[in-house]
Amino acid sequence: GCKVGVVKLILLDSLLQEMSEGSFLTSLIAGGLAGTAVDISLFPLDTIKTRLQSQQGFWAAGGFKRIYAGLGPAAVGSAPNAAVFFCTYDSVKRYAIGSLGYQDTAQVHMAAATTGEVMACLIRVPVEIVKQRRQASAANTSLEIVRSTLKTEGLRGFYRGYLTTVAREIPFSLIQFPLWEFLKKQLAETKGSAIKPWEASLCGAIAGGFSAAVTTPLDVAKTRIMLAAAGSADAKLNTITVMQVVAKEKGIGGLFAGVTPRVTWISIGGAVFFGVYEKAKSVLAEKV
C-alpha cells in the first residue's frame, strides 16, 4: 500500500522544484531504487499486517510462516509504481505553476500528489491483489493467482478494490502533507535555522505514521475486498459496508487490525527510503 507516500512528497517537494531534465531522470531512478529497497527490506511487516487484517485471522492466514510470500510481485511492481507517481506529480505541478499560473503552494503539491496516487494505483492495485492473496494463502503461487483471477473475473478482477485503495491514499496524502509542513515549520522556528534533509525526513516519518494510523480502517476494508473469493458477497461490497461488517464481526479493534505493523512500516520506510534515495542520487549524479 502507500506506503512511502510521505517520503515521496518530502523528496519531490525539496528536490524536484529546481530539477533540470537530467537530474529529474536521476531522481526518478533513485526513487525507483529507494522504493524497491523499502518494499523488500520491510516486506515481513507488510505480510504480518495483511494476515492480521484477513477474514480468517492471523494464524489461519499463515502466522509467522512464509513471511516473504508475495515478495515477487511486490518487487516487480515497486519501481514502476514509484516512477508513475513521480512523473505524474512533477508534470501536474509544473503544469499548474507554469501554464495555469498557480503559486507554488502546499495546495498545489497536495493536488499533484493526489493525482499521482490515482495514477500510481493503476499499477499498485493489480500488484497488491496478487501480493496480498499470496500472503494470506499457502495454496497458490503468484502465477496461479494471476491465472485464476483472469479465468474467474477477467482483467477487471485485477482492479477489484481500486476505488477503496484510492479512498485510502487520498485522505492519507491530505492528512500527512499539511501535518508534515506544520512539523517542519515548528522545528525550523524552534531551531531558529533551516532544517536539514534528515530532520525533514524525521518530521515526515511522524506525519506518515500518524496518517497511517488514522487511515487504517480504510486499509482493512481494502484488504478484505481484495482477499474475498471471486463471486462472493464480500467481493461486491463497497468500502463503507465492509467497514460496518468488520466492526460488527470484530468490534472497533477489528477496524484497526494491523495498525502497529502499518505505522512501523511507514515510519521506518521513510527513513530507509530517504537514506537509499540520497545515496543512489549521489552515485548516479556522478554517472549520469
Side-chain angles (χ1 to χ4, degrees), residues 1 17 41-42 44 72 99-100 136-137 149 157 167 185 233 246 250 262 272 285:
Q17 276 175 16
S41 62
L42 300 181
S99 307
L100 300 178
S137 147
T149 305
K185 197 171 156 203
V246 172
K250 303 191 176 181
R262 178 167 158 79
V272 174

Side-chain angles (χ1 to χ4, degrees), residues 40-267:
I40 293 171
S41 62
L42 300 181
F43 193 81
L45 282 174
D46 191 57
T47 303
I48 290 167
K49 184 205 74 164
T50 297
R51 290 174 182 174
L52 284 167
Q53 293 176 348
S54 67
Q55 193 167 9
Q56 70 260 49
F58 180 71
W59 296 107
F64 291 106
K65 292 180 198 153
R66 303 178 309 103
I67 211 84
Y68 276 95
L71 179 63
V76 169
S78 182
N81 175 34
V84 170
F85 178 89
F86 265 64
C87 289
T88 308
Y89 177 97
D90 193 53
S91 306
V92 169
K93 202 172 76 168
R94 283 180 194 217
Y95 181 71
I97 295 163
S99 307
L100 300 178
Y102 284 97
Q103 295 298 308
D104 190 4
T105 60
Q107 283 78 7
V108 168
H109 293 208
M110 282 197 293
T114 301
T115 316
E117 291 293 3
V118 171
M119 294 305 289
C121 280
L122 292 171
I123 291 173
R124 187 179 304 150
V125 171
V127 167
E128 195 78 0
I129 280 187
V130 177
K131 183 200 75 178
Q132 288 205 306
R133 289 179 189 173
R134 185 87 181 81
Q135 286 172 327
S137 147
N140 301 323
T141 65
S142 297
L143 209 57
E144 282 165 355
I145 292 166
V146 170
R147 284 198 194 112
S148 76
T149 305
L150 274 172
K151 197 172 167 186
T152 52
E153 298 176 86
L155 270 178
R156 278 187 66 182
F158 290 104
Y159 285 94
R160 192 207 299 165
Y162 177 81
L163 291 176
T164 313
T165 308
V166 171
R168 177 196 67 176
E169 297 295 359
I170 292 175
F172 183 87
S173 293
L174 295 181
I175 296 166
Q176 56 148 6
F177 201 96
L179 182 59
W180 177 60
E181 290 284 341
F182 170 77
L183 291 171
K184 277 196 310 177
K185 197 171 156 203
Q186 292 298 109
L187 185 58
E189 282 173 11
T190 309
K191 278 180 66 186
S193 62
I195 63 171
K196 297 181 176 71
W198 71 266
E199 291 171 324
S201 177
L202 186 65
C203 292
I206 296 165
F210 177 77
S211 311
V214 174
T215 54
T216 297
L218 293 166
D219 193 50
V220 171
K222 176 200 77 78
T223 299
R224 283 291 189 97
I225 290 168
M226 286 183 170
L227 292 180
S232 68
D234 283 3
K236 299 182 179 72
L237 296 178
N238 63 32
T239 312
I240 303 296
T241 319
V242 172
M243 282 160 68
Q244 287 168 340
V245 169
V246 172
K248 211 173 187 178
E249 273 176 21
K250 303 191 176 181
I252 294 298
L255 288 173
F256 286 90
V259 66
T260 307
R262 178 167 158 79
V263 169
T264 311
W265 203 120
I266 286 168
S267 302

